[in-house]
Amino acid sequence: MADDRNCMGHTDHRCGYYDKATEAPFETKAGARGFSLWVWKDHQWKASSATTDGDPVIWKVRPGYSSSYRMVWSLDPAEKVDRLAFYLIQKRSFQNEAYQPRIQMEKVLPFAEHPYGAIKVPEEWRTIIRGEVTEFEVPRVEFGWRSLDSSEEDVFIEGQGQYSYLRYQDHQDLMIPLEKGELE
């Protein structure tokens, strides 16, 4: 499993790897919100994926290096949402006589300031993600999200859950829309 060093063993950003990936939120003529993900390759920017859905995803800019993972989303700022809550969940398990307790971590952002964006996965989450299995095994962690009003009630966002990837060439994990009853 790769560690959290970026290129050439540096733990800072001297090699510029993270400057070679970016996201661009957009609105279609029909009013749908989405985003495209871009990577610098062969001396030019290339679109690696795009969605007209806008629902949050985990973008593994550099798979195996959790310090490169980003949460990306683009939702309609007119929605009556107060906060976005993102979750990392590792379910309980018992394997090989070892008990693994449930882990649930949350990152909350004010929606008015962040109707769209991309943020690095929180450092606390990376500790859990570092133990992730390969892509051919059942994942140990899941990612989810909720849109909340000022009363902490779930807000349904139109189009939520209707995945519409136009192009898909990079590594992403969908973030599952969650409801209050699914959390502990």
Side-chain angles (χ1 to χ4, degrees), residues 142-184:
E142 296 176 352
F143 301 98
W145 69 289
R146 293 173 65 204
S147 46
L148 304 165
D149 65 17
S150 59
S151 302
E152 296 291 318
E153 295 298 319
D154 292 306
V155 175
F156 177 77
I157 295 179
E158 190 68 36
Q160 187 172 309
Q162 298 175 1
Y163 308 108
S164 56
Y165 285 93
L166 306 174
R167 188 172 177 197
Y168 186 78
Q169 292 184 348
D170 57 356
H171 301 274
Q172 295 177 28
D173 284 346
L174 297 175
M175 296 185 85
I176 302 162
L178 299 171
E179 295 180 6
K180 188 176 185 175
E182 297 175 85
L183 301 171
E184 293 183 13

mmCIF file of all heavy atoms in Angstrom, residues 142-184:
data_model
loop_
_atom_site.group_PDB
_atom_site.id
_atom_site.type_symbol
_atom_site.label_atom_id
_atom_site.label_comp_id
_atom_site.label_asym_id
_atom_site.label_seq_id
_atom_site.Cartn_x
_atom_site.Cartn_y
_atom_site.Cartn_z
ATOM 1 N N GLU A 142 -16.840 3.697 3.756
ATOM 2 C CA GLU A 142 -17.824 4.258 2.831
ATOM 3 C C GLU A 142 -17.879 5.749 3.081
ATOM 4 O O GLU A 142 -17.578 6.218 4.181
ATOM 5 C CB GLU A 142 -19.205 3.655 3.085
ATOM 6 C CG GLU A 142 -19.282 2.178 2.818
ATOM 7 C CD GLU A 142 -20.645 1.596 3.184
ATOM 8 O OE1 GLU A 142 -21.479 2.307 3.787
ATOM 9 O OE2 GLU A 142 -20.870 0.424 2.873
ATOM 10 N N PHE A 143 -18.278 6.483 2.071
ATOM 11 C CA PHE A 143 -18.416 7.921 2.199
ATOM 12 C C PHE A 143 -19.874 8.286 1.973
ATOM 13 O O PHE A 143 -20.533 7.725 1.102
ATOM 14 C CB PHE A 143 -17.539 8.632 1.168
ATOM 15 C CG PHE A 143 -16.082 8.298 1.312
ATOM 16 C CD1 PHE A 143 -15.493 7.336 0.503
ATOM 17 C CD2 PHE A 143 -15.312 8.924 2.270
ATOM 18 C CE1 PHE A 143 -14.153 7.013 0.631
ATOM 19 C CE2 PHE A 143 -13.967 8.608 2.413
ATOM 20 C CZ PHE A 143 -13.390 7.654 1.593
ATOM 21 N N GLY A 144 -20.369 9.227 2.750
ATOM 22 C CA GLY A 144 -21.754 9.651 2.617
ATOM 23 C C GLY A 144 -21.882 11.143 2.825
ATOM 24 O O GLY A 144 -20.927 11.825 3.195
ATOM 25 N N TRP A 145 -23.098 11.643 2.601
ATOM 26 C CA TRP A 145 -23.351 13.064 2.796
ATOM 27 C C TRP A 145 -24.819 13.315 3.088
ATOM 28 O O TRP A 145 -25.673 12.498 2.780
ATOM 29 C CB TRP A 145 -22.900 13.873 1.585
ATOM 30 C CG TRP A 145 -23.727 13.671 0.341
ATOM 31 C CD1 TRP A 145 -23.760 12.559 -0.441
ATOM 32 C CD2 TRP A 145 -24.628 14.601 -0.251
ATOM 33 N NE1 TRP A 145 -24.612 12.745 -1.487
ATOM 34 C CE2 TRP A 145 -25.156 13.994 -1.405
ATOM 35 C CE3 TRP A 145 -25.034 15.889 0.074
ATOM 36 C CZ2 TRP A 145 -26.081 14.635 -2.224
ATOM 37 C CZ3 TRP A 145 -25.951 16.534 -0.759
ATOM 38 C CH2 TRP A 145 -26.452 15.902 -1.887
ATOM 39 N N ARG A 146 -25.077 14.456 3.725
ATOM 40 C CA ARG A 146 -26.439 14.910 4.004
ATOM 41 C C ARG A 146 -26.516 16.401 3.724
ATOM 42 O O ARG A 146 -25.550 17.128 3.935
ATOM 43 C CB ARG A 146 -26.806 14.682 5.471
ATOM 44 C CG ARG A 146 -26.913 13.235 5.870
ATOM 45 C CD ARG A 146 -27.121 13.075 7.357
ATOM 46 N NE ARG A 146 -28.396 13.638 7.794
ATOM 47 C CZ ARG A 146 -28.624 14.052 9.040
ATOM 48 N NH1 ARG A 146 -27.684 14.007 9.954
ATOM 49 N NH2 ARG A 146 -29.801 14.547 9.377
ATOM 50 N N SER A 147 -27.675 16.855 3.269
ATOM 51 C CA SER A 147 -27.965 18.286 3.157
ATOM 52 C C SER A 147 -29.008 18.585 4.234
ATOM 53 O O SER A 147 -30.034 17.911 4.308
ATOM 54 C CB SER A 147 -28.465 18.630 1.754
ATOM 55 O OG SER A 147 -29.434 17.710 1.315
ATOM 56 N N LEU A 148 -28.720 19.575 5.081
ATOM 57 C CA LEU A 148 -29.542 19.834 6.263
ATOM 58 C C LEU A 148 -30.083 21.258 6.274
ATOM 59 O O LEU A 148 -29.401 22.191 5.837
ATOM 60 C CB LEU A 148 -28.702 19.629 7.526
ATOM 61 C CG LEU A 148 -28.030 18.265 7.673
ATOM 62 C CD1 LEU A 148 -26.951 18.305 8.738
ATOM 63 C CD2 LEU A 148 -29.068 17.220 7.995
ATOM 64 N N ASP A 149 -31.295 21.404 6.831
ATOM 65 C CA ASP A 149 -31.822 22.754 7.042
ATOM 66 C C ASP A 149 -31.413 23.235 8.431
ATOM 67 O O ASP A 149 -30.696 22.518 9.149
ATOM 68 C CB ASP A 149 -33.342 22.799 6.831
ATOM 69 C CG ASP A 149 -34.140 21.981 7.837
ATOM 70 O OD1 ASP A 149 -33.603 21.607 8.910
ATOM 71 O OD2 ASP A 149 -35.329 21.714 7.563
ATOM 72 N N SER A 150 -31.852 24.414 8.822
ATOM 73 C CA SER A 150 -31.436 24.986 10.105
ATOM 74 C C SER A 150 -31.972 24.209 11.305
ATOM 75 O O SER A 150 -31.467 24.357 12.415
ATOM 76 C CB SER A 150 -31.858 26.450 10.205
ATOM 77 O OG SER A 150 -33.259 26.558 10.066
ATOM 78 N N SER A 151 -32.972 23.330 11.090
ATOM 79 C CA SER A 151 -33.521 22.498 12.167
ATOM 80 C C SER A 151 -32.890 21.112 12.206
ATOM 81 O O SER A 151 -33.408 20.219 12.872
ATOM 82 C CB SER A 151 -35.035 22.350 11.999
ATOM 83 O OG SER A 151 -35.658 23.595 11.994
ATOM 84 N N GLU A 152 -31.803 20.923 11.461
ATOM 85 C CA GLU A 152 -31.108 19.632 11.390
ATOM 86 C C GLU A 152 -31.916 18.555 10.678
ATOM 87 O O GLU A 152 -31.642 17.365 10.822
ATOM 88 C CB GLU A 152 -30.701 19.118 12.783
ATOM 89 C CG GLU A 152 -29.697 19.983 13.493
ATOM 90 C CD GLU A 152 -28.321 19.951 12.843
ATOM 91 O OE1 GLU A 152 -27.866 18.868 12.439
ATOM 92 O OE2 GLU A 152 -27.712 21.021 12.721
ATOM 93 N N GLU A 153 -32.930 18.964 9.898
ATOM 94 C CA GLU A 153 -33.724 18.011 9.127
ATOM 95 C C GLU A 153 -33.094 17.839 7.749
ATOM 96 O O GLU A 153 -32.536 18.781 7.177
ATOM 97 C CB GLU A 153 -35.172 18.497 8.979
ATOM 98 C CG GLU A 153 -35.920 18.555 10.302
ATOM 99 C CD GLU A 153 -36.068 17.209 10.971
ATOM 100 O OE1 GLU A 153 -36.331 16.206 10.269
ATOM 101 O OE2 GLU A 153 -35.914 17.149 12.203
ATOM 102 N N ASP A 154 -33.216 16.620 7.195
ATOM 103 C CA ASP A 154 -32.692 16.350 5.863
ATOM 104 C C ASP A 154 -33.477 17.129 4.818
ATOM 105 O O ASP A 154 -34.700 17.238 4.897
ATOM 106 C CB ASP A 154 -32.779 14.847 5.544
ATOM 107 C CG ASP A 154 -31.831 14.034 6.402
ATOM 108 O OD1 ASP A 154 -30.630 14.352 6.411
ATOM 109 O OD2 ASP A 154 -32.292 13.081 7.068
ATOM 110 N N VAL A 155 -32.776 17.671 3.844
ATOM 111 C CA VAL A 155 -33.383 18.397 2.733
ATOM 112 C C VAL A 155 -33.114 17.594 1.473
ATOM 113 O O VAL A 155 -31.961 17.293 1.154
ATOM 114 C CB VAL A 155 -32.770 19.814 2.592
ATOM 115 C CG1 VAL A 155 -33.325 20.517 1.372
ATOM 116 C CG2 VAL A 155 -32.995 20.628 3.851
ATOM 117 N N PHE A 156 -34.169 17.238 0.758
ATOM 118 C CA PHE A 156 -34.005 16.520 -0.497
ATOM 119 C C PHE A 156 -33.637 17.527 -1.573
ATOM 120 O O PHE A 156 -34.317 18.537 -1.757
ATOM 121 C CB PHE A 156 -35.286 15.780 -0.885
ATOM 122 C CG PHE A 156 -35.177 15.092 -2.214
ATOM 123 C CD1 PHE A 156 -34.481 13.900 -2.335
ATOM 124 C CD2 PHE A 156 -35.735 15.656 -3.351
ATOM 125 C CE1 PHE A 156 -34.361 13.264 -3.567
ATOM 126 C CE2 PHE A 156 -35.617 15.028 -4.584
ATOM 127 C CZ PHE A 156 -34.930 13.832 -4.685
ATOM 128 N N ILE A 157 -32.567 17.259 -2.296
ATOM 129 C CA ILE A 157 -32.140 18.138 -3.381
ATOM 130 C C ILE A 157 -32.546 17.483 -4.695
ATOM 131 O O ILE A 157 -32.217 16.326 -4.951
ATOM 132 C CB ILE A 157 -30.623 18.383 -3.325
ATOM 133 C CG1 ILE A 157 -30.298 19.155 -2.045
ATOM 134 C CG2 ILE A 157 -30.151 19.132 -4.562
ATOM 135 C CD1 ILE A 157 -28.829 19.446 -1.856
ATOM 136 N N GLU A 158 -33.279 18.235 -5.521
ATOM 137 C CA GLU A 158 -33.754 17.727 -6.813
ATOM 138 C C GLU A 158 -32.597 17.183 -7.631
ATOM 139 O O GLU A 158 -31.545 17.794 -7.732
ATOM 140 C CB GLU A 158 -34.441 18.851 -7.592
ATOM 141 C CG GLU A 158 -35.171 18.379 -8.810
ATOM 142 C CD GLU A 158 -36.394 17.543 -8.479
ATOM 143 O OE1 GLU A 158 -37.071 17.817 -7.487
ATOM 144 O OE2 GLU A 158 -36.655 16.587 -9.223
ATOM 145 N N GLY A 159 -32.781 16.000 -8.175
ATOM 146 C CA GLY A 159 -31.740 15.398 -8.997
ATOM 147 C C GLY A 159 -30.750 14.576 -8.193
ATOM 148 O O GLY A 159 -29.914 13.898 -8.747
ATOM 149 N N GLN A 160 -30.844 14.643 -6.867
ATOM 150 C CA GLN A 160 -29.931 13.909 -6.000
ATOM 151 C C GLN A 160 -30.024 12.417 -6.299
ATOM 152 O O GLN A 160 -31.099 11.851 -6.346
ATOM 153 C CB GLN A 160 -30.324 14.188 -4.543
ATOM 154 C CG GLN A 160 -29.384 13.642 -3.530
ATOM 155 C CD GLN A 160 -29.765 14.151 -2.149
ATOM 156 O OE1 GLN A 160 -29.939 15.331 -1.951
ATOM 157 N NE2 GLN A 160 -29.905 13.249 -1.210
ATOM 158 N N GLY A 161 -28.891 11.796 -6.536
ATOM 159 C CA GLY A 161 -28.866 10.357 -6.769
ATOM 160 C C GLY A 161 -29.046 9.961 -8.228
ATOM 161 O O GLY A 161 -29.038 8.793 -8.548
ATOM 162 N N GLN A 162 -29.213 10.940 -9.121
ATOM 163 C CA GLN A 162 -29.338 10.620 -10.543
ATOM 164 C C GLN A 162 -27.970 10.812 -11.177
ATOM 165 O O GLN A 162 -27.620 11.907 -11.594
ATOM 166 C CB GLN A 162 -30.361 11.532 -11.208
ATOM 167 C CG GLN A 162 -31.747 11.367 -10.636
ATOM 168 C CD GLN A 162 -32.714 12.369 -11.225
ATOM 169 O OE1 GLN A 162 -32.375 13.171 -12.073
ATOM 170 N NE2 GLN A 162 -33.944 12.318 -10.766
ATOM 171 N N TYR A 163 -27.199 9.763 -11.229
ATOM 172 C CA TYR A 163 -25.827 9.859 -11.703
ATOM 173 C C TYR A 163 -25.803 9.984 -13.217
ATOM 174 O O TYR A 163 -26.473 9.240 -13.908
ATOM 175 C CB TYR A 163 -25.019 8.643 -11.244
ATOM 176 C CG TYR A 163 -25.142 8.442 -9.757
ATOM 177 C CD1 TYR A 163 -25.879 7.394 -9.251
ATOM 178 C CD2 TYR A 163 -24.574 9.349 -8.878
ATOM 179 C CE1 TYR A 163 -26.028 7.227 -7.885
ATOM 180 C CE2 TYR A 163 -24.710 9.204 -7.514
ATOM 181 C CZ TYR A 163 -25.443 8.137 -7.027
ATOM 182 O OH TYR A 163 -25.583 7.987 -5.685
ATOM 183 N N SER A 164 -25.009 10.942 -13.703
ATOM 184 C CA SER A 164 -24.992 11.190 -15.132
ATOM 185 C C SER A 164 -23.583 11.518 -15.583
ATOM 186 O O SER A 164 -23.335 12.602 -16.073
ATOM 187 C CB SER A 164 -25.937 12.338 -15.472
ATOM 188 O OG SER A 164 -25.584 13.482 -14.712
ATOM 189 N N TYR A 165 -22.678 10.594 -15.379
ATOM 190 C CA TYR A 165 -21.303 10.842 -15.785
ATOM 191 C C TYR A 165 -21.202 10.832 -17.295
ATOM 192 O O TYR A 165 -21.663 9.917 -17.958
ATOM 193 C CB TYR A 165 -20.353 9.807 -15.169
ATOM 194 C CG TYR A 165 -20.134 10.097 -13.726
ATOM 195 C CD1 TYR A 165 -20.918 9.495 -12.768
ATOM 196 C CD2 TYR A 165 -19.198 11.029 -13.335
ATOM 197 C CE1 TYR A 165 -20.763 9.795 -11.430
ATOM 198 C CE2 TYR A 165 -19.030 11.329 -11.993
ATOM 199 C CZ TYR A 165 -19.809 10.708 -11.053
ATOM 200 O OH TYR A 165 -19.658 11.017 -9.738
ATOM 201 N N LEU A 166 -20.618 11.883 -17.824
ATOM 202 C CA LEU A 166 -20.431 11.986 -19.263
ATOM 203 C C LEU A 166 -19.152 11.274 -19.688
ATOM 204 O O LEU A 166 -19.086 10.709 -20.752
ATOM 205 C CB LEU A 166 -20.350 13.466 -19.667
ATOM 206 C CG LEU A 166 -21.519 14.328 -19.205
ATOM 207 C CD1 LEU A 166 -21.249 15.788 -19.538
ATOM 208 C CD2 LEU A 166 -22.813 13.853 -19.857
ATOM 209 N N ARG A 167 -18.178 11.316 -18.832
ATOM 210 C CA ARG A 167 -16.886 10.699 -19.116
ATOM 211 C C ARG A 167 -16.292 10.293 -17.785
ATOM 212 O O ARG A 167 -16.369 11.039 -16.816
ATOM 213 C CB ARG A 167 -16.005 11.723 -19.818
ATOM 214 C CG ARG A 167 -14.727 11.171 -20.336
ATOM 215 C CD ARG A 167 -14.050 12.218 -21.179
ATOM 216 N NE ARG A 167 -12.772 11.713 -21.622
ATOM 217 C CZ ARG A 167 -11.823 12.454 -22.093
ATOM 218 N NH1 ARG A 167 -11.991 13.741 -22.200
ATOM 219 N NH2 ARG A 167 -10.689 11.926 -22.469
ATOM 220 N N TYR A 168 -15.684 9.156 -17.724
ATOM 221 C CA TYR A 168 -15.213 8.652 -16.440
ATOM 222 C C TYR A 168 -13.883 7.951 -16.635
ATOM 223 O O TYR A 168 -13.838 6.819 -17.072
ATOM 224 C CB TYR A 168 -16.255 7.689 -15.871
ATOM 225 C CG TYR A 168 -15.954 7.203 -14.484
ATOM 226 C CD1 TYR A 168 -16.190 8.009 -13.390
ATOM 227 C CD2 TYR A 168 -15.441 5.935 -14.277
ATOM 228 C CE1 TYR A 168 -15.924 7.564 -12.104
ATOM 229 C CE2 TYR A 168 -15.171 5.479 -13.003
ATOM 230 C CZ TYR A 168 -15.420 6.309 -11.926
ATOM 231 O OH TYR A 168 -15.158 5.857 -10.659
ATOM 232 N N GLN A 169 -12.795 8.670 -16.342
ATOM 233 C CA GLN A 169 -11.479 8.074 -16.529
ATOM 234 C C GLN A 169 -10.618 8.158 -15.278
ATOM 235 O O GLN A 169 -9.488 7.737 -15.296
ATOM 236 C CB GLN A 169 -10.736 8.754 -17.681
ATOM 237 C CG GLN A 169 -11.352 8.476 -19.014
ATOM 238 C CD GLN A 169 -10.536 9.079 -20.138
ATOM 239 O OE1 GLN A 169 -9.640 9.871 -19.913
ATOM 240 N NE2 GLN A 169 -10.845 8.698 -21.352
ATOM 241 N N ASP A 170 -11.110 8.748 -14.229
ATOM 242 C CA ASP A 170 -10.300 8.873 -13.029
ATOM 243 C C ASP A 170 -10.883 8.023 -11.912
ATOM 244 O O ASP A 170 -11.838 7.292 -12.111
ATOM 245 C CB ASP A 170 -10.171 10.337 -12.615
ATOM 246 C CG ASP A 170 -11.529 10.982 -12.399
ATOM 247 O OD1 ASP A 170 -12.544 10.306 -12.641
ATOM 248 O OD2 ASP A 170 -11.582 12.136 -11.997
ATOM 249 N N HIS A 171 -10.320 8.124 -10.758
ATOM 250 C CA HIS A 171 -10.716 7.296 -9.625
ATOM 251 C C HIS A 171 -11.616 8.093 -8.701
ATOM 252 O O HIS A 171 -11.182 9.066 -8.090
ATOM 253 C CB HIS A 171 -9.472 6.812 -8.887
ATOM 254 C CG HIS A 171 -8.564 6.012 -9.771
ATOM 255 N ND1 HIS A 171 -8.725 4.664 -9.957
ATOM 256 C CD2 HIS A 171 -7.522 6.369 -10.556
ATOM 257 C CE1 HIS A 171 -7.816 4.219 -10.797
ATOM 258 N NE2 HIS A 171 -7.067 5.234 -11.178
ATOM 259 N N GLN A 172 -12.865 7.651 -8.596
ATOM 260 C CA GLN A 172 -13.835 8.325 -7.743
ATOM 261 C C GLN A 172 -14.619 7.296 -6.940
ATOM 262 O O GLN A 172 -14.849 6.194 -7.410
ATOM 263 C CB GLN A 172 -14.834 9.133 -8.576
ATOM 264 C CG GLN A 172 -14.234 10.265 -9.337
ATOM 265 C CD GLN A 172 -15.286 10.958 -10.186
ATOM 266 O OE1 GLN A 172 -16.465 10.962 -9.848
ATOM 267 N NE2 GLN A 172 -14.871 11.531 -11.279
ATOM 268 N N ASP A 173 -15.026 7.709 -5.751
ATOM 269 C CA ASP A 173 -15.978 6.942 -4.958
ATOM 270 C C ASP A 173 -17.209 7.821 -4.805
ATOM 271 O O ASP A 173 -17.092 8.997 -4.415
ATOM 272 C CB ASP A 173 -15.425 6.626 -3.565
ATOM 273 C CG ASP A 173 -14.385 5.525 -3.579
ATOM 274 O OD1 ASP A 173 -14.265 4.829 -4.596
ATOM 275 O OD2 ASP A 173 -13.693 5.363 -2.561
ATOM 276 N N LEU A 174 -18.360 7.284 -5.122
ATOM 277 C CA LEU A 174 -19.588 8.045 -4.928
ATOM 278 C C LEU A 174 -19.837 8.211 -3.435
ATOM 279 O O LEU A 174 -19.572 7.303 -2.648
ATOM 280 C CB LEU A 174 -20.766 7.327 -5.582
ATOM 281 C CG LEU A 174 -20.673 7.164 -7.095
ATOM 282 C CD1 LEU A 174 -21.840 6.338 -7.597
ATOM 283 C CD2 LEU A 174 -20.638 8.511 -7.780
ATOM 284 N N MET A 175 -20.346 9.351 -3.056
ATOM 285 C CA MET A 175 -20.744 9.572 -1.673
ATOM 286 C C MET A 175 -22.240 9.280 -1.606
ATOM 287 O O MET A 175 -23.019 9.852 -2.367
ATOM 288 C CB MET A 175 -20.429 10.999 -1.236
ATOM 289 C CG MET A 175 -18.936 11.291 -1.244
ATOM 290 S SD MET A 175 -18.532 12.922 -0.597
ATOM 291 C CE MET A 175 -18.475 12.553 1.146
ATOM 292 N N ILE A 176 -22.627 8.395 -0.734
ATOM 293 C CA ILE A 176 -24.006 7.932 -0.636
ATOM 294 C C ILE A 176 -24.847 8.970 0.098
ATOM 295 O O ILE A 176 -24.474 9.402 1.199
ATOM 296 C CB ILE A 176 -24.057 6.594 0.131
ATOM 297 C CG1 ILE A 176 -23.183 5.556 -0.570
ATOM 298 C CG2 ILE A 176 -25.492 6.104 0.294
ATOM 299 C CD1 ILE A 176 -22.831 4.373 0.309
ATOM 300 N N PRO A 177 -26.001 9.382 -0.478
ATOM 301 C CA PRO A 177 -26.893 10.274 0.278
ATOM 302 C C PRO A 177 -27.417 9.524 1.505
ATOM 303 O O PRO A 177 -27.927 8.412 1.387
ATOM 304 C CB PRO A 177 -28.025 10.588 -0.700
ATOM 305 C CG PRO A 177 -27.494 10.224 -2.051
ATOM 306 C CD PRO A 177 -26.495 9.132 -1.827
ATOM 307 N N LEU A 178 -27.247 10.107 2.677
ATOM 308 C CA LEU A 178 -27.642 9.465 3.930
ATOM 309 C C LEU A 178 -28.816 10.205 4.566
ATOM 310 O O LEU A 178 -29.030 11.383 4.294
ATOM 311 C CB LEU A 178 -26.471 9.469 4.917
ATOM 312 C CG LEU A 178 -25.215 8.721 4.489
ATOM 313 C CD1 LEU A 178 -24.079 9.002 5.466
ATOM 314 C CD2 LEU A 178 -25.486 7.229 4.408
ATOM 315 N N GLU A 179 -29.519 9.500 5.433
ATOM 316 C CA GLU A 179 -30.566 10.114 6.253
ATOM 317 C C GLU A 179 -30.180 9.958 7.707
ATOM 318 O O GLU A 179 -29.357 9.109 8.061
ATOM 319 C CB GLU A 179 -31.912 9.450 5.975
ATOM 320 C CG GLU A 179 -32.390 9.684 4.559
ATOM 321 C CD GLU A 179 -33.733 9.029 4.273
ATOM 322 O OE1 GLU A 179 -34.351 8.485 5.212
ATOM 323 O OE2 GLU A 179 -34.147 9.052 3.102
ATOM 324 N N LYS A 180 -30.783 10.767 8.557
ATOM 325 C CA LYS A 180 -30.445 10.793 9.980
ATOM 326 C C LYS A 180 -30.462 9.403 10.625
ATOM 327 O O LYS A 180 -29.582 9.053 11.399
ATOM 328 C CB LYS A 180 -31.419 11.718 10.710
ATOM 329 C CG LYS A 180 -31.078 11.980 12.138
ATOM 330 C CD LYS A 180 -32.052 12.991 12.747
ATOM 331 C CE LYS A 180 -31.640 13.357 14.140
ATOM 332 N NZ LYS A 180 -32.497 14.405 14.694
ATOM 333 N N GLY A 181 -31.440 8.575 10.268
ATOM 334 C CA GLY A 181 -31.584 7.244 10.857
ATOM 335 C C GLY A 181 -30.447 6.286 10.515
ATOM 336 O O GLY A 181 -30.307 5.250 11.153
ATOM 337 N N GLU A 182 -29.657 6.610 9.513
ATOM 338 C CA GLU A 182 -28.555 5.748 9.116
ATOM 339 C C GLU A 182 -27.268 6.047 9.889
ATOM 340 O O GLU A 182 -26.278 5.355 9.730
ATOM 341 C CB GLU A 182 -28.272 5.906 7.614
ATOM 342 C CG GLU A 182 -29.451 5.482 6.752
ATOM 343 C CD GLU A 182 -29.210 5.758 5.293
ATOM 344 O OE1 GLU A 182 -28.581 4.890 4.648
ATOM 345 O OE2 GLU A 182 -29.623 6.825 4.809
ATOM 346 N N LEU A 183 -27.324 7.069 10.722
ATOM 347 C CA LEU A 183 -26.128 7.485 11.472
ATOM 348 C C LEU A 183 -26.264 7.088 12.935
ATOM 349 O O LEU A 183 -27.345 6.871 13.437
ATOM 350 C CB LEU A 183 -25.958 9.006 11.356
ATOM 351 C CG LEU A 183 -25.811 9.513 9.925
ATOM 352 C CD1 LEU A 183 -25.861 11.026 9.908
ATOM 353 C CD2 LEU A 183 -24.546 8.999 9.301
ATOM 354 N N GLU A 184 -25.134 6.993 13.585
ATOM 355 C CA GLU A 184 -25.134 6.660 15.022
ATOM 356 C C GLU A 184 -24.579 7.823 15.809
ATOM 357 O O GLU A 184 -23.906 8.679 15.313
ATOM 358 C CB GLU A 184 -24.286 5.418 15.263
ATOM 359 C CG GLU A 184 -24.913 4.190 14.649
ATOM 360 C CD GLU A 184 -24.143 2.920 14.919
ATOM 361 O OE1 GLU A 184 -23.255 2.906 15.782
ATOM 362 O OE2 GLU A 184 -24.427 1.931 14.253
#
